[in-house]
């Protein structure tokens, strides 16, 4: 059977008929994310587990035994080890300890910037057709022999794509209308009498399933081992919240000390009749400041927030890099598709903003830094000192270091 391509026609149909509307199962799909085999995923898991053991901190992992969440110190004891040799080897070890377990790793792609593009190829197409998420997407790996999702039938504020890696995966879904009429479904593990009203999605490695954020769902299994990628696209942040965040940044900058005051001086609170007529001086001053805002100032603020938002590429966080820069460093972009974003200030000609991975830095007289960023975005390998020179070099190197910490660059030999 030939593989199904996720081409433009597919995405157009998906956006029109399925996104936030109804579930979908796609059999035998060609997608980069599905090309990552179980051996590769096992190696990533061990790499991430080793780091957790080193730091004595299992953040990113969750472990459930018989549906109960294990404490952090216990999670460290049950993470995959190199000696397990494979996902199934790990399962053999866990199976001998627990009859029902579930390991969730939320940050697996964080340890490996090289694999991130497999995911972004998928999400970028999705965003192009349904819009960029105002919140973010996150991907987790779920593995184990658990018979039911540890928290029962539930609904999340995200649409979910599932990509099985090992084993067959079954998801049982109900519409929100049905769940509303049958409140007993909430968190339920026993729901035999509601099965008739449900829709069952069944997927195996090579397939993809999708359900909208409104779908109540639970994963079911017969107790055999499975491993599945789950990509959640959060849809709980309306546009007005983004606008409010941008305005907040603007107010922070504009109101200064007055904006931070925690009491408001007044003459009278209200008249004898109860009527409120006096607006305290602090408000009059704020009104004057707001009235003085220029269109350029508003545009710059919103553009900067938008740039910061899209610099995360639609994810909660993106892989960080540990690398100390000097003027002698020879660097290039960590991924040719993850550019360093930038914008020119609309209010101060010489000022530029640069952004990567949710970090924004600004630089005045940034001509050297701008040339450097343009060369990097062009795919060039550069020696930093050839671009950053003179009085601004130190300030710009500092700005570049912040972008590097956020994951923008890698060293070039
Ligand atoms: Fe869920």
């Amino acid at each position: 059977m030939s593989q199904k391509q996720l081409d433009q026609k597919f995405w157009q149909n998906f956006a029109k008929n399925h996104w936030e509307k109804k579930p979908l199962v796609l059999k035998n799909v060609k997608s980069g994310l599905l090309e990552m085999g179980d051996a590769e995923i096992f190696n990533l898991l061990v790499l991430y587990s080793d780091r957790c053991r080193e730091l004595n901190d299992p953040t990113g992992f969750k472990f459930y035994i018989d549906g109960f969440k294990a404490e952090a110190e216990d999670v460290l004891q049950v993470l995959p080890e190199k000696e397990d040799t494979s996902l199934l080897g790990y399962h053999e070890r866990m199976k001998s300890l627990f009859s029902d377990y579930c390991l969730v790793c939320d940050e697996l792609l964080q340890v490996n910037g090289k694999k991130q593009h497999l995911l972004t190829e998928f999400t970028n197409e999705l965003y192009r057709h349904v819009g960029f998420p105002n919140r973010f997407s996150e991907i987790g790996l779920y593995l184990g022999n658990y018979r039911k999702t540890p928290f029962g039938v539930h609904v999340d504020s995200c649409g979910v794509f599932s990509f099985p890696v090992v084993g067959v995966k079954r998801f049982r879904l109900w519409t929100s209308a049905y769940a509303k009429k049958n409140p007993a479904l909430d968190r339920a593990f026993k729901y035999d009498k509601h099965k008739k009203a449900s829709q069952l999605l069944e997927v195996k490695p090579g397939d993809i399933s999708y359900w909208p954020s409104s779908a109540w769902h639970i994963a079911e299994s017969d107790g055999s081992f499975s491993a599945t990628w789950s990509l959640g696209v959060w849809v709980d942040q309306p546009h007005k919240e983004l606008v409010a965040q941008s305005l907040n940044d603007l107010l922070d900058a504009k109101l200064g000390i007055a904006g931070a005051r925690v009491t408001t001086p007044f003459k009278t609170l209200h008249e004898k009749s109860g009527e409120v007529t006096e607006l305290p001086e602090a408000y009059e001053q704020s009104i004057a400041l707001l009235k003085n805002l220029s269109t350029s100032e508003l545009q710059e603020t919103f553009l900067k927030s938008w740039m910061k938002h899209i610099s995360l590429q639609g994810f909660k966080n993106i892989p960080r890099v540990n690398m100390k820069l000097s003027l002698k460093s020879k660097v290039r972009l960590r991924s040719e598709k993850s550019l360093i974003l930038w914008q020119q200030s609309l209010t101060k000609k010489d000022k530029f903003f640069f952004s990567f991975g949710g970090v924004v830095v600004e630089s005045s007289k940034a001509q050297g830094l701008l040339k450097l960023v343009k060369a990097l975005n062009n795919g060039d390998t550069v020696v930093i000192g050839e671009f950053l020179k003179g009085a601004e070099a130190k300030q710009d190197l500092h700005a570049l270091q912040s972008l590097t910490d956020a994951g923008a660059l890698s060293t070039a030999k």
Side-chain angles (χ1 to χ4, degrees):
M1 201 163 82
S2 72
Q3 285 189 309
K4 185 171 172 48
Q5 300 275 351
L6 301 185
D7 53 16
Q8 293 304 304
K9 217 173 120 198
F10 161 77
W11 283 112
Q12 278 160 12
N13 175 56
F14 177 81
K16 191 164 164 241
N17 298 313
H18 292 277
W19 172 249
E20 285 300 86
K21 288 195 183 106
K22 62 177 191 220
L24 174 70
V25 168
L26 284 167
K27 295 280 181 191
N28 200 18
V29 178
K30 186 165 170 50
S31 159
L33 207 50
L34 296 170
E35 276 160 29
M36 207 178 344
D38 52 340
E40 209 168 351
I41 291 168
F42 173 74
N43 289 338
L44 280 182
L45 270 174
V46 171
L47 206 66
Y48 191 66
S49 302
D50 284 343
R51 204 172 74 172
C52 289
R53 280 184 284 260
E54 216 169 277
L55 300 170
N56 202 25
D57 175 8
T59 301
F61 279 114
K62 280 175 282 192
F63 195 81
Y64 297 87
I65 305 161
D66 295 322
F68 292 99
K69 199 174 166 194
E71 299 289 332
E73 60 262 39
D74 298 328
V75 175
L76 283 171
Q77 310 298 318
V78 293
L79 297 181
E81 293 165 7
K82 198 170 168 226
E83 290 69 28
D84 293 324
T85 68
S86 68
L87 288 179
L88 279 171
Y90 170 70
H91 171 60
E92 287 303 319
R93 182 160 65 90
M94 288 301 110
K95 196 172 68 171
S96 68
L97 298 169
F98 314 108
S99 61
D100 185 300
Y101 76 94
C102 170
L103 176 72
V104 184
C105 184
D106 285 327
E107 317 247 344
L108 201 51
L109 290 175
Q110 304 310 308
V111 284
N112 200 321
K114 284 189 201 109
K115 292 293 160 198
Q116 250 247 336
H117 71 278
L118 296 176
L119 179 58
T120 49
E121 276 160 21
F122 182 86
T123 50
N124 287 347
E125 279 305 314
L126 171 70
Y127 301 163
R128 209 190 310 281
H129 289 87
V130 306
F132 198 89
N134 288 347
R135 181 80 71 189
F136 47 65
S137 299
E138 47 183 352
I139 188 158
L141 185 74
Y142 287 68
L143 60 159
N145 60 356
Y146 56 108
R147 286 167 187 274
K148 297 264 166 76
T149 301
F151 23 92
V153 178
H154 67 283
V155 67
D156 310 291
S157 301
C158 56
V160 175
F161 293 89
S162 297
F163 309 80
V165 177
V166 180
V168 177
K169 199 82 194 170
R170 283 180 203 91
F171 301 105
R172 194 174 287 282
L173 314 179
W174 291 267
T175 63
S176 58
Y178 185 84
K180 211 181 226 171
K181 266 185 249 154
N182 296 276
L185 259 184
D186 193 2
R187 307 275 139 181
F189 289 94
K190 293 197 175 107
Y191 42 76
D192 278 350
K193 65 173 183 173
H194 300 292
K195 272 189 178 169
K196 251 197 339 227
S198 71
Q199 180 180 1
L200 191 66
L201 308 186
E202 190 173 291
V203 274
K204 58 180 193 319
D207 304 340
I208 300 178
S209 67
Y210 165 78
W211 65 76
S213 65
S214 60
W216 287 70
H217 55 277
I218 188 165
E220 293 178 354
S221 122
D222 58 2
S224 52
F225 177 67
S226 68
T228 306
W229 288 113
S230 166
L231 172 73
V233 185
W234 290 84
V235 291
D236 60 342
Q237 178 133 290
H239 172 67
K240 63 185 178 189
E241 281 181 25
L242 294 188
V243 173
Q245 277 171 14
S246 303
L247 287 178
N248 233 335
D249 293 344
L250 186 65
L251 292 179
D252 274 346
K254 278 278 158 190
L255 298 186
I257 298 168
R261 287 189 76 157
V262 293
T263 56
T264 305
F266 63 93
K267 290 197 195 85
T268 39
L269 287 177
H270 55 79
E271 306 293 326
K272 266 198 181 129
S273 69
E275 186 184 3
V276 178
T277 53
E278 186 213 300
L279 190 60
E281 182 62 24
Y283 284 90
E284 297 290 1
Q285 285 167 359
S286 297
I287 290 172
L289 276 168
L290 291 176
K291 278 172 80 177
N292 270 332
L293 282 175
S294 66
T295 305
S296 309
E297 276 177 296
L298 282 170
Q299 277 173 339
E300 180 174 311
T301 300
F302 283 113
L303 192 60
K304 204 160 71 172
S305 308
W306 172 244
M307 178 170 76
K308 181 179 176 183
H309 184 63
I310 61 174
S311 77
L312 278 161
Q313 299 172 27
F315 294 102
K316 193 175 178 180
N317 40 51
I318 57 179
R320 307 263 136 186
V321 170
N322 237 338
M323 192 171 127
K324 186 91 188 90
L325 295 183
S326 75
L327 290 173
K328 287 183 192 141
S329 304
K330 198 173 174 187
V331 294
R332 57 183 165 77
L333 285 185
R334 196 201 67 220
S335 156
E336 59 181 17
K337 289 199 180 116
S338 302
L339 306 187
I340 295 174
L341 306 179
W342 62 275
Q343 74 180 88
Q344 186 169 12
S345 166
L346 299 170
T347 52
K348 283 191 196 115
K349 231 179 111 200
D350 253 0
K351 192 155 125 186
F352 288 83
F353 302 102
F354 301 89
S355 183
F356 193 91
V359 168
V360 178
V361 292
E362 61 173 78
S363 175
S364 41
K365 302 203 184 91
Q367 289 310 327
L369 184 56
L370 184 61
K371 269 191 196 141
L372 173 71
V373 165
K374 282 182 176 171
L376 287 166
N377 285 350
N378 190 40
D380 299 352
T381 293
V382 302
V383 176
I384 294 173
E386 288 173 11
F387 290 84
L388 305 189
K389 290 175 182 159
E392 278 79 39
K394 206 176 154 195
Q395 164 208 301
D396 286 350
L397 185 65
H398 189 72
L400 193 62
Q401 181 68 55
S402 299
L403 300 170
T404 306
D405 294 343
L409 304 183
S410 65
T411 26
K413 299 273 162 354

